[in-house]
Amino acid sequence: MSAHDHHSDPLPDTAQGILAEDRAHMFYSWSAQRQLSPMPVARALGSYFWDYDGNRYLDFASQFVHVNIGHQHPKVVAAIQRQAERLCTVSPAFGNDQRARAARLIAERAPGDLDRVLFTNGGTDAVEHAVRMARLVTGRPKVLAAYRSYHGGSHLTLHMTGDPRRWPIDTGAAGVVHFFGPYLYRSAFHARTEPEEAQRALAHLEQVIALEGPGTVAAVILEPVVGTNGVLVPPEGYLAGVRELCDRHGILLIADEVMAGFGRTGRWFAVQNWDVVPDLITFAKGVNSGYVPLGGVLMGPRVFDAFADRPYPGGLTYSGHPLACAAAVAAITAMSEEGIVENAAHLGAEVLGPGLRELSERHPVIGEVRGLGVFWALELVRDRGTREMLPPLGTPGGPMDELAAACRKRGLWPFLHTNRIHVVPPCTSTEREIREGLDILDEALSVIGSHYR
């Protein structure tokens, strides 16, 4: 930065200066505004980012569980720069080489016959459009969504979300009905084994469909592996059972892969762990690791053909934005050439899974370890016998806030939610970085472990 540039800026390029400007003008999502003091980030590289004081943090949150390819991947940065020099933006009514190529690369990796893509700006509007498509294709109004789910922050997608963030805006009038998904550790069905949980969760869903009226249900939407609400990995047979129920009643199955897709579970799409083909897949985040905002809906012939001869009522100014699609092409190509999806699978099976289970042997505060690939959660409890949760994040003076502080002090940026640590590093992480993170978690858990046995 030149001396002129520095002096023309009324606020110095320091954490305090940035924070002053931020607090004067910014409005943050999901937050009470007066209580905020966000940490400005100066730069990032690979699995790490730095603050303005030069402190380095190992990013075990992948920011919002979206930086799958790591920070500042040189091939993706270069692709965005090249595209910016040639064509920054264009109307979605025109053909565009990067959009066409991104759609092909995504379709080639999708399960079954899903081979068409509508691009959106992110995950929320991908889910909005998938639901709109399902309702138009079936002529039915209702959508079934799970409790302990997150589908987005817009009016419809927040109504579909099955967690407390929905409550302040829920009118009960969005055509959404909630059901219980499988969660053996806290089973709603008094199940003791995975097969029991799968069977009883499916019987419950079958009953909900029957009582709502199968002819009124357009779609069942679920996260193949539940993300923010617990990294809940479904028991064997559950997703196949949901697919069968949907087929029996002419209901479309929507897989919300916004968080689970593009390598996070060690497969391109999480549903591929169970060989299930949904009617629609929503994606965002990992498709280009959020370098430029991008999401989309993947569909097969049943949905695509419905709009072959009638217009689809919907669109976005930035649908298939050239910079975002150039980033996606570069990211997907790099993921393929560098074996990044395979690396995520390897880390899960050989490093993260065993390492987290080892931590649970040493720390009684860990009630359960669950996950796949680079998508894991530790559920923290006061007592393993009763499974009573630790007081949730945000409890003044509580253990979760203490745990967060202990991690950050040691150079680890964790993803904490209610009584859980989500362990969600980039898919590009090395074994050494994972072990570094596990060592810090070990120390941080020891800090709070003395209070909770």
Side-chain angles (χ1 to χ4, degrees):
M1 186 183 280
S2 71
H4 171 76
D5 287 335
H6 188 79
H7 290 303
S8 63
D9 185 349
L11 287 163
D13 194 11
T14 64
Q16 291 81 358
I18 292 160
L19 200 52
E21 198 168 32
D22 178 293
R23 295 294 64 222
H25 301 289
M26 273 296 302
F27 190 95
Y28 277 74
S29 52
W30 305 120
S31 304
Q33 303 303 307
R34 212 188 300 275
Q35 298 161 13
L36 289 171
S37 182
M39 184 186 83
V41 173
R43 62 189 182 92
L45 188 65
S47 299
Y48 298 91
F49 63 93
W50 286 260
D51 65 19
Y52 277 77
D53 296 324
N55 298 310
R56 186 183 79 166
Y57 298 91
L58 179 60
D59 192 352
F60 253 39
S62 296
Q63 294 304 301
F64 254 163
V65 199
H66 72 276
V67 188
N68 292 12
I69 203 170
H71 293 277
Q72 301 300 113
H73 192 291
K75 290 176 184 168
V76 185
V77 172
I80 295 167
Q81 289 169 333
R82 279 196 307 275
Q83 186 61 34
E85 285 172 358
R86 184 165 67 89
L87 180 68
C88 272
T89 192
V90 69
S91 157
F94 290 103
N96 172 256
D97 62 327
Q98 296 302 309
R99 186 178 64 191
R101 190 163 303 146
R104 175 177 62 78
L105 291 173
I106 293 162
E108 284 171 356
R109 286 154 181 80
D113 58 359
L114 275 62
D115 66 350
R116 304 277 182 165
V117 179
L118 168 71
F119 283 114
T120 64
N121 301 331
T124 295
D125 47 5
V127 175
E128 285 264 355
H129 284 281
V131 170
R132 185 179 304 175
M133 289 171 178
R135 285 173 166 165
L136 289 166
V137 169
T138 62
R140 300 170 179 181
K142 289 180 196 164
V143 180
L144 304 190
Y147 288 112
R148 300 190 181 94
S149 67
Y150 179 75
H151 295 295
S154 66
H155 189 69
L156 171 62
T157 58
L158 197 51
H159 272 88
M160 290 159 62
T161 288
D163 77 26
R165 284 173 286 188
R166 176 182 84 253
W167 300 348
I169 64 103
D170 195 346
T171 62
V176 179
V177 176
H178 288 95
F179 64 93
F180 288 99
Y183 179 16
L184 182 59
Y185 189 68
R186 301 191 183 279
S187 175
F189 313 108
H190 309 289
R192 291 184 188 158
T193 65
E194 290 224 337
E196 265 186 6
E197 182 74 357
Q199 180 192 348
R200 293 176 188 184
L202 285 168
H204 159 72
L205 180 56
E206 184 174 11
Q207 196 170 35
V208 171
I209 290 170
L211 292 171
E212 286 296 330
T216 71
V217 180
V220 172
I221 185 166
L222 45 75
E223 299 163 277
V225 176
V226 172
T228 318
N229 283 278
V231 189
L232 306 177
V233 180
E236 203 60 49
Y238 178 73
L239 291 180
V242 177
R243 174 73 276 181
E244 191 277 323
L245 272 174
C246 288
D247 287 342
R248 198 189 315 164
H249 297 295
I251 296 166
L252 267 57
L253 176 58
I254 304 171
D256 181 340
E257 295 255 6
V258 169
M259 192 175 281
F262 292 94
R264 181 61 49 194
T265 69
R267 302 292 292 266
W268 283 101
F269 293 96
V271 287
Q272 291 166 328
N273 289 289
W274 296 279
D275 296 322
V276 169
V277 182
D279 297 288
L280 293 152
I281 287 177
T282 60
F283 64 86
K285 294 186 185 284
V287 65
N288 65 7
S289 288
Y291 282 34
V292 183
L294 183 68
V297 184
L298 253 166
M299 69 198 86
R302 179 174 177 189
V303 175
F304 177 80
D305 291 349
F307 303 103
D309 298 304
R310 64 166 165 159
Y312 172 66
L316 299 139
T317 298
Y318 309 128
S319 177
H321 193 282
L323 293 181
C325 287
V329 170
I332 294 167
T333 303
M335 288 176 94
S336 295
E337 290 174 354
E338 297 170 22
I340 289 169
V341 178
E342 294 81 359
N343 186 59
H346 163 75
L347 290 174
E350 305 299 328
V351 191
L352 261 176
L356 292 170
R357 284 188 279 270
E358 201 177 293
L359 283 184
S360 78
E361 286 167 22
R362 279 208 300 287
H363 298 281
V365 74
I366 298 173
E368 186 176 49
V369 176
R370 47 180 186 259
L372 278 173
V374 284
F375 203 21
W376 292 80
L378 302 177
E379 181 149 348
L380 306 185
V381 294
R382 278 184 191 270
D383 182 292
R384 280 186 175 174
T386 64
R387 302 186 179 181
E388 183 193 346
M389 297 181 182
L390 276 199
L393 190 66
T395 304
M400 295 302 294
D401 291 69
E402 192 179 354
L403 181 65
C407 287
R408 289 168 190 164
K409 181 180 166 188
R410 290 163 174 78
L412 180 79
W413 198 268
F415 187 112
L416 293 140
H417 193 285
T418 55
N419 68 316
R420 298 182 304 273
I421 312 170
H422 292 208
V423 182
V424 284
C427 302
T428 47
S429 301
T430 63
E431 290 190 15
R432 184 190 60 74
E433 288 165 347
I434 298 296
R435 293 205 168 92
E436 176 191 342
L438 290 174
D439 287 346
I440 295 172
L441 273 180
D442 191 14
E443 288 181 31
L445 287 163
S446 299
V447 169
I448 66 159
S450 55
H451 310 311
Y452 298 93
R453 288 275 173 229

